[in-house]
């Protein structure tokens, strides 16, 4: 296992379309996080999973956003009816239980045109 | 509400110089603080993690300190190299697993 993997790396979509991103965490990590990063800013927390349970969601995660981690392994983040304001880098991270280091993937850059 | 501020926003130094990046946070009730490096268009690479009970951590040419009571952390980079050019982000871990990031310091090391 070489780290956190995110697919696709880049996605260009038309406004109003739905998009789905995938994150494969480090295999022994039971915690998984999604963040959104816009240009010139630090990442902003979106949501967090412990195994398959989604334990926390940011108010940034509107009704158009949904995240799942069905078997406690990979996770998907879906955005419905995309808007231009959704254009950003979407980052996934994973960690072990406890106050341990978080490891990030390379991100998925979404451009909504 | 926890806020994380990084100063300076951008920094340009000649190769070989020692430098310090600053991070401040408003609420000292943190579990840990992590420094990351981000290259343009890429994800984050973890550099150092300091638990709330620790004062500093070192890795190679990097040294990070934490003063919880004053809400400050510094990242010291010794003998900077052009390959150190990147954005450096600090992040504080709160209860409930949420992590708050600063906006980063963009570092450029001139050869």
């Amino acid at each position: 296992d070489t780290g956190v993997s995110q697919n696709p790396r880049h996605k260009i979509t038309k406004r109003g379309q739905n998009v789905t991103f995938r994150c494969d965490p480090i295999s022994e990590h039971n915690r998984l996080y999604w963040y959104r990063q816009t240009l010139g800013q630090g990442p902003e927390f979106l949501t967090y999973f412990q195994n398959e349970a989604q334990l926390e969601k940011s108010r940034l995660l509107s009704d158009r956003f949904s995240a799942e981690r069905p078997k406690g392994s990979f996770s998907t983040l879906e955005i419905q009816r995309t808007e231009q304001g959704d254009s950003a880098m979407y980052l996934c991270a994973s960690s072990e239980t406890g106050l341990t280091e978080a490891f990030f993937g390379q991100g998925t850059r979404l451009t909504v045109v | 509400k926890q806020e994380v501020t990084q100063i300076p926003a951008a920094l340009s130094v000649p190769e070989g110089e020692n430098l310090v990046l600053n991070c401040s946070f408003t609420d000292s009730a943190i579990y840990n603080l992590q420094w990351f490096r981000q290259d343009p268009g890429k994800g984050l690479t973890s550099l150092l993690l300091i638990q709330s009970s620790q004062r500093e951590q070192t890795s190679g040419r990097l040294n990070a300190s934490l003063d919880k009571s004053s809400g400050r952390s510094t990242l010291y980079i010794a003998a900077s190299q052009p390959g150190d050019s990147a954005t450096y982000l600090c992040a504080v871990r709160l209860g409930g697993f949420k992590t708050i990031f600063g906006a980063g310091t963009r570092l450029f090391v001139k050869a």
Side-chain angles (χ1 to χ4, degrees), chain B residues 11-69:
Chain B
L11 182 63
S12 180
V13 300
E15 182 178 6
E17 192 162 298
N18 301 327
L19 57 100
V20 175
L21 308 181
N22 297 291
C23 172
S24 62
F25 46 95
T26 53
D27 187 343
S28 62
I30 66 170
Y31 285 91
N32 60 40
L33 183 145
Q34 197 165 354
W35 282 93
F36 294 89
R37 169 187 172 136
Q38 186 173 33
D39 292 290
K42 301 292 179 64
L44 279 63
T45 300
S46 177
L47 298 174
L48 291 164
L49 171 71
I50 312 177
Q51 301 293 352
S52 61
S53 59
Q54 297 175 323
R55 297 284 294 183
E56 66 178 339
Q57 284 287 333
T58 298
S59 175
R61 295 183 293 109
L62 305 179
N63 175 277
S65 68
L66 174 64
D67 184 342
K68 260 185 56 174
S69 60

Side-chain angles (χ1 to χ4, degrees), chain A residues 77-90:
Chain A
L77 178 67
E78 180 183 16
I79 308 174
Q80 296 182 329
R81 304 181 303 281
T82 51
E83 302 173 356
Q84 285 189 320
D86 297 331
S87 295
M89 173 80 87
Y90 290 84

Side-chain angles (χ1 to χ4, degrees), chain A residues 21 37 39 48-49 61 68 72 74 77 91 94 100-101 108:
Chain A
F21 311 141
Q37 185 178 27
L39 205 61
Y48 155 75
F49 289 87
L61 219 62
E68 295 182 341
F74 73 92
L77 178 67
L91 294 161
S94 70
T100 58
E101 208 170 350
T108 294

Side-chain angles (χ1 to χ4, degrees), chain A residues 9 31 33 35 37 40-43 45 48 50 55-56 89 91 98-107 109, chain B residues 31-32 34 36 38 41-44 46-49 51 89 93 95-104 106:
Chain A
R9 292 292 310 279
R31 293 181 175 173
Y33 313 80
Y35 291 84
Q37 185 178 27
Q41 300 299 314
F45 171 82
Y48 155 75
Q50 170 105 6
L55 297 184
E56 192 162 350
M89 173 80 87
L91 294 161
L99 300 173
T100 58
E101 208 170 350
F103 294 87
F104 280 76
Q106 291 297 297
R109 178 162 295 284
Chain B
Y31 285 91
N32 60 40
Q34 197 165 354
F36 294 89
Q38 186 173 33
K42 301 292 179 64
L44 279 63
S46 177
L47 298 174
L48 291 164
L49 171 71
Q51 301 293 352
L89 295 155
R93 167 81 174 271
F97 316 109
K98 186 177 293 185
T99 298
I100 306 296
F101 282 81
R106 293 187 305 282

Side-chain angles (χ1 to χ4, degrees), chain A residues 4-12 20-23 34 88-92 104-111, chain B residues 38-44:
Chain A
V4 179
S5 177
Q6 291 189 246
N7 287 289
R9 292 292 310 279
H10 304 275
K11 178 71 176 178
I12 300 174
T20 300
F21 311 141
R22 176 177 170 127
C23 171
W34 284 99
M89 173 80 87
Y90 290 84
L91 294 161
C92 175
F104 280 76
Q106 291 297 297
T108 294
R109 178 162 295 284
L110 173 66
T111 302
Chain B
Q38 186 173 33
D39 292 290
K42 301 292 179 64
L44 279 63

